[in-house]
Short mmCIF file of all heavy atoms in Angstrom, two decimals:
data_model
loop_
_atom_site.label_atom_id
_atom_site.label_comp_id
_atom_site.label_asym_id
_atom_site.label_seq_id
_atom_site.Cartn_x
_atom_site.Cartn_y
_atom_site.Cartn_z
N ILE A 218 8.51 8.12 10.45
CA ILE A 218 7.73 7.50 9.39
C ILE A 218 8.45 6.25 8.85
O ILE A 218 7.80 5.33 8.33
CB ILE A 218 7.42 8.51 8.26
CG1 ILE A 218 6.33 8.01 7.34
CG2 ILE A 218 8.66 8.87 7.47
CD1 ILE A 218 4.98 7.99 7.96
N PHE A 219 9.77 6.20 9.01
CA PHE A 219 10.55 5.09 8.44
C PHE A 219 10.25 3.76 9.12
O PHE A 219 10.53 2.70 8.58
CB PHE A 219 12.06 5.38 8.53
CG PHE A 219 12.43 6.66 7.87
CD1 PHE A 219 12.77 7.78 8.61
CD2 PHE A 219 12.42 6.77 6.49
CE1 PHE A 219 13.08 8.98 7.99
CE2 PHE A 219 12.72 7.95 5.86
CZ PHE A 219 13.06 9.06 6.61
N THR A 222 6.21 2.74 7.53
CA THR A 222 5.96 2.45 6.11
C THR A 222 6.15 0.97 5.75
O THR A 222 5.31 0.42 5.04
CB THR A 222 6.80 3.36 5.19
OG1 THR A 222 8.11 3.48 5.70
CG2 THR A 222 6.18 4.75 5.09
N ALA A 225 3.09 -0.82 6.81
CA ALA A 225 1.95 -0.58 5.93
C ALA A 225 2.01 -1.52 4.72
O ALA A 225 1.00 -2.04 4.27
CB ALA A 225 1.92 0.87 5.46
N GLY A 228 0.90 -4.77 5.63
CA GLY A 228 -0.56 -4.73 5.76
C GLY A 228 -1.26 -5.17 4.49
O GLY A 228 -2.31 -5.81 4.56
N ILE A 229 -0.68 -4.84 3.34
CA ILE A 229 -1.29 -5.26 2.07
C ILE A 229 -1.29 -6.78 1.97
O ILE A 229 -2.29 -7.40 1.61
CB ILE A 229 -0.56 -4.63 0.86
CG1 ILE A 229 -0.71 -3.12 0.88
CG2 ILE A 229 -1.10 -5.20 -0.44
CD1 ILE A 229 -0.03 -2.41 -0.27
N ASN A 233 -4.55 -9.28 2.06
CA ASN A 233 -4.75 -10.27 1.01
C ASN A 233 -4.95 -11.66 1.58
O ASN A 233 -5.78 -12.43 1.10
CB ASN A 233 -3.53 -10.28 0.07
CG ASN A 233 -3.90 -9.81 -1.31
OD1 ASN A 233 -5.08 -9.72 -1.64
ND2 ASN A 233 -2.92 -9.55 -2.13
N ASP A 236 -8.32 -11.83 2.89
CA ASP A 236 -9.31 -11.90 1.81
C ASP A 236 -9.38 -13.27 1.16
O ASP A 236 -10.27 -13.52 0.34
CB ASP A 236 -8.98 -10.87 0.72
CG ASP A 236 -9.46 -9.49 1.10
OD1 ASP A 236 -10.16 -9.36 2.13
OD2 ASP A 236 -9.16 -8.53 0.38
N LYS A 239 -12.61 -14.95 1.68
CA LYS A 239 -13.82 -14.35 1.11
C LYS A 239 -14.12 -14.98 -0.26
O LYS A 239 -13.22 -15.54 -0.89
CB LYS A 239 -13.60 -12.85 0.92
CG LYS A 239 -13.54 -12.10 2.21
CD LYS A 239 -13.64 -10.63 1.95
CE LYS A 239 -13.55 -9.88 3.25
NZ LYS A 239 -13.24 -8.48 3.02
N GLU A 242 -15.68 -13.28 -5.82
CA GLU A 242 -16.31 -12.10 -6.45
C GLU A 242 -15.83 -10.81 -5.80
O GLU A 242 -15.85 -9.75 -6.42
CB GLU A 242 -17.85 -12.17 -6.32
CG GLU A 242 -18.52 -13.24 -7.15
CD GLU A 242 -18.41 -14.62 -6.56
OE1 GLU A 242 -18.16 -14.74 -5.33
OE2 GLU A 242 -18.54 -15.60 -7.32
N GLN A 243 -15.42 -10.91 -4.53
CA GLN A 243 -14.97 -9.70 -3.83
C GLN A 243 -13.51 -9.39 -4.11
O GLN A 243 -13.01 -8.38 -3.65
CB GLN A 243 -15.16 -9.90 -2.33
CG GLN A 243 -16.56 -9.68 -1.88
CD GLN A 243 -16.64 -9.20 -0.45
OE1 GLN A 243 -15.65 -8.81 0.15
NE2 GLN A 243 -17.83 -9.22 0.09
N VAL A 244 -12.85 -10.27 -4.85
CA VAL A 244 -11.44 -10.05 -5.17
C VAL A 244 -11.38 -9.29 -6.49
O VAL A 244 -11.98 -9.69 -7.48
CB VAL A 244 -10.68 -11.39 -5.27
CG1 VAL A 244 -9.26 -11.18 -5.73
CG2 VAL A 244 -10.71 -12.11 -3.94
N ASN A 245 -10.67 -8.18 -6.49
CA ASN A 245 -10.58 -7.30 -7.65
C ASN A 245 -9.39 -7.73 -8.51
O ASN A 245 -8.24 -7.61 -8.08
CB ASN A 245 -10.39 -5.87 -7.11
CG ASN A 245 -10.54 -4.84 -8.19
OD1 ASN A 245 -10.37 -5.11 -9.37
ND2 ASN A 245 -10.84 -3.61 -7.77
N LEU A 247 -7.96 -6.56 -11.28
CA LEU A 247 -6.97 -5.55 -11.68
C LEU A 247 -6.12 -5.13 -10.47
O LEU A 247 -4.90 -4.97 -10.59
CB LEU A 247 -7.69 -4.34 -12.27
CG LEU A 247 -6.80 -3.28 -12.92
CD1 LEU A 247 -5.98 -3.89 -14.05
CD2 LEU A 247 -7.64 -2.13 -13.46
N GLN A 248 -6.76 -5.03 -9.32
CA GLN A 248 -6.03 -4.63 -8.11
C GLN A 248 -4.98 -5.68 -7.76
O GLN A 248 -3.84 -5.36 -7.42
CB GLN A 248 -7.02 -4.48 -6.97
CG GLN A 248 -6.50 -3.73 -5.78
CD GLN A 248 -7.61 -3.46 -4.78
OE1 GLN A 248 -8.12 -4.38 -4.15
NE2 GLN A 248 -7.97 -2.21 -4.62
N TRP A 254 2.31 -7.39 -9.62
CA TRP A 254 3.34 -6.82 -10.50
C TRP A 254 4.25 -5.86 -9.74
O TRP A 254 5.48 -5.94 -9.86
CB TRP A 254 2.66 -6.14 -11.69
CG TRP A 254 3.61 -5.59 -12.69
CD1 TRP A 254 3.70 -4.29 -13.09
CD2 TRP A 254 4.63 -6.30 -13.42
NE1 TRP A 254 4.72 -4.15 -14.01
CE2 TRP A 254 5.30 -5.37 -14.24
CE3 TRP A 254 5.04 -7.63 -13.45
CZ2 TRP A 254 6.34 -5.71 -15.09
CZ3 TRP A 254 6.09 -7.98 -14.29
CH2 TRP A 254 6.71 -7.03 -15.09
N THR A 255 3.68 -4.97 -8.92
CA THR A 255 4.53 -4.04 -8.15
C THR A 255 5.35 -4.81 -7.12
O THR A 255 6.52 -4.47 -6.89
CB THR A 255 3.73 -2.94 -7.43
OG1 THR A 255 2.68 -3.54 -6.70
CG2 THR A 255 3.15 -1.93 -8.36
N LEU A 258 8.29 -6.33 -9.03
CA LEU A 258 9.24 -5.32 -9.50
C LEU A 258 10.00 -4.71 -8.32
O LEU A 258 11.22 -4.47 -8.42
CB LEU A 258 8.48 -4.23 -10.25
CG LEU A 258 9.17 -3.66 -11.48
CD1 LEU A 258 9.62 -4.73 -12.43
CD2 LEU A 258 8.21 -2.72 -12.20
N PHE A 259 9.31 -4.49 -7.20
CA PHE A 259 9.99 -3.92 -6.05
C PHE A 259 10.90 -4.93 -5.35
O PHE A 259 11.87 -4.55 -4.71
CB PHE A 259 8.99 -3.30 -5.06
CG PHE A 259 8.69 -1.87 -5.38
CD1 PHE A 259 7.62 -1.53 -6.21
CD2 PHE A 259 9.49 -0.85 -4.93
CE1 PHE A 259 7.36 -0.23 -6.55
CE2 PHE A 259 9.24 0.48 -5.25
CZ PHE A 259 8.17 0.78 -6.08
N ARG A 261 12.78 -6.95 -7.06
CA ARG A 261 14.00 -6.76 -7.87
C ARG A 261 14.68 -5.45 -7.49
O ARG A 261 15.90 -5.40 -7.33
CB ARG A 261 13.59 -6.77 -9.35
CG ARG A 261 14.53 -6.11 -10.32
CD ARG A 261 15.60 -7.02 -10.80
NE ARG A 261 16.50 -6.31 -11.71
CZ ARG A 261 17.82 -6.37 -11.66
NH1 ARG A 261 18.41 -7.12 -10.75
NH2 ARG A 261 18.56 -5.69 -12.50
N ILE A 265 18.75 -4.02 -6.01
CA ILE A 265 19.70 -3.16 -6.72
C ILE A 265 19.94 -1.82 -6.03
O ILE A 265 20.79 -1.05 -6.46
CB ILE A 265 19.28 -2.92 -8.20
CG1 ILE A 265 17.92 -2.24 -8.30
CG2 ILE A 265 19.30 -4.23 -8.95
CD1 ILE A 265 17.55 -1.87 -9.71
N ARG A 300 -16.13 -8.93 -14.14
CA ARG A 300 -16.02 -7.58 -13.55
C ARG A 300 -16.64 -7.55 -12.17
O ARG A 300 -17.69 -8.14 -11.96
CB ARG A 300 -16.72 -6.63 -14.52
CG ARG A 300 -16.52 -5.20 -14.29
CD ARG A 300 -15.31 -4.61 -14.99
NE ARG A 300 -15.53 -3.18 -15.01
CZ ARG A 300 -15.04 -2.32 -14.09
NH1 ARG A 300 -14.32 -2.76 -13.14
NH2 ARG A 300 -15.32 -1.04 -14.14
N THR B 48 15.33 -1.05 -13.61
CA THR B 48 14.22 -1.20 -12.66
C THR B 48 13.98 0.10 -11.88
O THR B 48 12.87 0.35 -11.42
CB THR B 48 14.51 -2.35 -11.68
OG1 THR B 48 14.97 -3.46 -12.41
CG2 THR B 48 13.28 -2.74 -10.89
N HIS B 49 15.03 0.90 -11.74
CA HIS B 49 14.90 2.18 -11.01
C HIS B 49 13.83 3.06 -11.62
O HIS B 49 13.20 3.87 -10.94
CB HIS B 49 16.23 2.95 -11.04
CG HIS B 49 17.27 2.37 -10.15
ND1 HIS B 49 17.19 2.41 -8.78
CD2 HIS B 49 18.43 1.74 -10.45
CE1 HIS B 49 18.26 1.82 -8.27
NE2 HIS B 49 19.02 1.40 -9.25
N TRP B 51 11.19 1.75 -13.81
CA TRP B 51 9.90 1.09 -13.95
C TRP B 51 9.20 0.82 -12.64
O TRP B 51 7.98 0.78 -12.59
CB TRP B 51 10.04 -0.20 -14.76
CG TRP B 51 10.37 0.08 -16.18
CD1 TRP B 51 11.56 -0.10 -16.80
CD2 TRP B 51 9.50 0.69 -17.14
NE1 TRP B 51 11.49 0.34 -18.10
CE2 TRP B 51 10.23 0.82 -18.34
CE3 TRP B 51 8.17 1.12 -17.12
CZ2 TRP B 51 9.68 1.36 -19.49
CZ3 TRP B 51 7.62 1.66 -18.28
CH2 TRP B 51 8.38 1.78 -19.44
N ALA B 52 9.96 0.65 -11.55
CA ALA B 52 9.31 0.37 -10.26
C ALA B 52 8.41 1.54 -9.82
O ALA B 52 7.24 1.32 -9.51
CB ALA B 52 10.35 0.01 -9.20
N CYS B 55 5.33 1.72 -12.06
CA CYS B 55 4.31 0.71 -11.74
C CYS B 55 3.47 1.11 -10.55
O CYS B 55 2.32 0.70 -10.44
CB CYS B 55 4.96 -0.64 -11.47
SG CYS B 55 5.42 -1.44 -12.99
N ASN B 56 4.03 1.90 -9.66
CA ASN B 56 3.25 2.38 -8.52
C ASN B 56 2.04 3.17 -8.97
O ASN B 56 1.02 3.19 -8.28
CB ASN B 56 4.13 3.29 -7.64
CG ASN B 56 4.61 2.59 -6.40
OD1 ASN B 56 4.02 1.60 -5.99
ND2 ASN B 56 5.66 3.10 -5.80
N GLN B 62 -5.86 1.92 -11.38
CA GLN B 62 -6.82 0.85 -11.09
C GLN B 62 -8.04 1.40 -10.37
O GLN B 62 -9.18 1.02 -10.68
CB GLN B 62 -6.13 -0.24 -10.24
CG GLN B 62 -7.07 -1.30 -9.72
CD GLN B 62 -7.56 -1.04 -8.31
OE1 GLN B 62 -6.78 -0.68 -7.42
NE2 GLN B 62 -8.85 -1.20 -8.06
N TYR B 65 -10.18 3.07 -12.92
CA TYR B 65 -10.84 2.08 -13.78
C TYR B 65 -12.06 1.50 -13.06
O TYR B 65 -13.09 1.20 -13.66
CB TYR B 65 -9.84 0.98 -14.13
CG TYR B 65 -10.41 -0.13 -14.97
CD1 TYR B 65 -10.61 0.02 -16.34
CD2 TYR B 65 -10.74 -1.36 -14.40
CE1 TYR B 65 -11.13 -1.00 -17.11
CE2 TYR B 65 -11.26 -2.38 -15.17
CZ TYR B 65 -11.45 -2.20 -16.51
OH TYR B 65 -11.97 -3.22 -17.28
N ASP B 66 -11.94 1.35 -11.71
CA ASP B 66 -13.03 0.78 -10.92
C ASP B 66 -13.94 1.84 -10.35
O ASP B 66 -14.55 1.64 -9.29
CB ASP B 66 -12.44 -0.07 -9.77
CG ASP B 66 -11.92 -1.41 -10.27
OD1 ASP B 66 -12.48 -1.92 -11.26
OD2 ASP B 66 -10.96 -1.93 -9.67
N ARG B 69 -17.42 0.47 -9.74
CA ARG B 69 -17.47 -0.93 -9.31
C ARG B 69 -18.62 -1.14 -8.33
O ARG B 69 -18.90 -0.30 -7.47
CB ARG B 69 -16.14 -1.31 -8.63
CG ARG B 69 -16.02 -2.79 -8.34
CD ARG B 69 -14.63 -3.16 -7.91
NE ARG B 69 -14.52 -4.55 -7.53
CZ ARG B 69 -14.24 -5.56 -8.36
NH1 ARG B 69 -14.05 -5.32 -9.63
NH2 ARG B 69 -14.15 -6.80 -7.93
N ALA B 72 -20.77 -4.25 -3.60
CA ALA B 72 -20.76 -5.59 -3.01
C ALA B 72 -19.46 -6.32 -3.33
O ALA B 72 -19.09 -7.27 -2.65
CB ALA B 72 -21.95 -6.40 -3.54
N LYS B 73 -18.77 -5.87 -4.39
CA LYS B 73 -17.55 -6.54 -4.81
C LYS B 73 -16.30 -5.79 -4.38
O LYS B 73 -15.22 -6.01 -4.92
CB LYS B 73 -17.55 -6.70 -6.33
CG LYS B 73 -18.63 -7.62 -6.82
CD LYS B 73 -18.60 -7.78 -8.31
CE LYS B 73 -19.73 -8.66 -8.78
NZ LYS B 73 -19.80 -8.73 -10.22
N SER B 75 -13.57 -4.94 -1.43
CA SER B 75 -13.08 -5.51 -0.17
C SER B 75 -12.73 -4.36 0.78
O SER B 75 -11.79 -3.60 0.53
CB SER B 75 -11.85 -6.38 -0.46
OG SER B 75 -11.20 -6.68 0.75
N GLU B 77 -11.43 -4.34 3.80
CA GLU B 77 -10.13 -4.40 4.47
C GLU B 77 -9.01 -3.95 3.56
O GLU B 77 -8.11 -3.18 3.96
CB GLU B 77 -9.83 -5.84 4.95
CG GLU B 77 -10.68 -6.29 6.12
CD GLU B 77 -12.06 -6.76 5.68
OE1 GLU B 77 -12.28 -6.93 4.47
OE2 GLU B 77 -12.91 -6.97 6.56
N MET B 78 -9.05 -4.41 2.30
CA MET B 78 -8.01 -4.05 1.34
C MET B 78 -8.03 -2.55 1.06
O MET B 78 -6.97 -1.92 0.99
CB MET B 78 -8.21 -4.84 0.04
CG MET B 78 -7.13 -4.60 -0.98
SD MET B 78 -5.47 -4.86 -0.37
CE MET B 78 -5.22 -6.54 -0.80
N GLN B 79 -9.22 -1.97 0.96
CA GLN B 79 -9.31 -0.53 0.72
C GLN B 79 -8.76 0.26 1.91
O GLN B 79 -8.03 1.24 1.73
CB GLN B 79 -10.77 -0.10 0.44
CG GLN B 79 -11.39 -0.70 -0.80
CD GLN B 79 -10.55 -0.47 -2.05
OE1 GLN B 79 -10.27 -1.38 -2.82
NE2 GLN B 79 -10.13 0.76 -2.25
N VAL B 81 -6.49 -0.74 4.01
CA VAL B 81 -5.03 -0.89 4.02
C VAL B 81 -4.39 0.00 2.96
O VAL B 81 -3.37 0.64 3.21
CB VAL B 81 -4.66 -2.38 3.79
CG1 VAL B 81 -3.23 -2.53 3.37
CG2 VAL B 81 -4.92 -3.17 5.04
N LEU B 82 -5.01 0.08 1.78
CA LEU B 82 -4.43 0.90 0.72
C LEU B 82 -4.49 2.38 1.06
O LEU B 82 -3.55 3.13 0.76
CB LEU B 82 -5.14 0.63 -0.62
CG LEU B 82 -4.78 -0.71 -1.26
CD1 LEU B 82 -5.67 -1.01 -2.45
CD2 LEU B 82 -3.34 -0.72 -1.71
N LEU B 88 0.66 6.99 4.64
CA LEU B 88 1.98 6.93 5.25
C LEU B 88 3.08 7.23 4.23
O LEU B 88 4.05 7.94 4.54
CB LEU B 88 2.22 5.54 5.87
CG LEU B 88 1.41 5.24 7.12
CD1 LEU B 88 1.55 3.79 7.51
CD2 LEU B 88 1.81 6.14 8.26
N ARG B 91 3.76 10.92 3.48
CA ARG B 91 4.68 11.54 4.44
C ARG B 91 6.12 11.09 4.14
O ARG B 91 7.05 11.89 4.15
CB ARG B 91 4.24 11.12 5.86
CG ARG B 91 5.20 11.43 6.97
CD ARG B 91 5.13 12.84 7.40
NE ARG B 91 6.07 13.08 8.50
CZ ARG B 91 6.71 14.22 8.70
NH1 ARG B 91 6.53 15.23 7.90
NH2 ARG B 91 7.53 14.36 9.71
N TRP B 92 6.29 9.80 3.85
CA TRP B 92 7.61 9.24 3.58
C TRP B 92 8.27 9.90 2.38
O TRP B 92 9.47 10.20 2.41
CB TRP B 92 7.46 7.73 3.36
CG TRP B 92 8.72 6.96 3.16
CD1 TRP B 92 9.56 6.50 4.12
CD2 TRP B 92 9.25 6.54 1.91
NE1 TRP B 92 10.60 5.81 3.55
CE2 TRP B 92 10.43 5.82 2.19
CE3 TRP B 92 8.85 6.69 0.58
CZ2 TRP B 92 11.21 5.26 1.18
CZ3 TRP B 92 9.63 6.12 -0.42
CH2 TRP B 92 10.79 5.41 -0.10
N GLN B 114 -8.75 5.42 -3.60
CA GLN B 114 -9.07 4.19 -2.86
C GLN B 114 -10.02 4.52 -1.71
O GLN B 114 -10.91 3.74 -1.35
CB GLN B 114 -7.81 3.51 -2.32
CG GLN B 114 -6.76 3.14 -3.36
CD GLN B 114 -7.13 1.96 -4.23
OE1 GLN B 114 -8.18 1.35 -4.09
NE2 GLN B 114 -6.26 1.61 -5.17
#
Side-chain angles (χ1 to χ4, degrees):
Chain A
I218 195 71
F219 304 106
T222 42
I229 296 180
N233 246 347
D236 279 353
K239 290 193 181 163
E242 290 78 21
Q243 280 209 12
V244 175
N245 191 337
L247 189 59
Q248 195 172 69
W254 183 239
T255 50
L258 218 52
F259 272 91
R261 158 86 182 134
I265 61 174
R300 192 89 161 95
Chain B
T48 313
H49 287 291
W51 291 107
C55 282
N56 257 339
Q62 172 264 315
Y65 178 78
D66 284 330
R69 189 170 175 89
K73 294 181 183 175
S75 167
E77 289 81 11
M78 183 53 92
Q79 297 306 131
V81 162
L82 286 171
L88 289 171
R91 168 80 179 147
W92 184 83
Q114 303 287 0

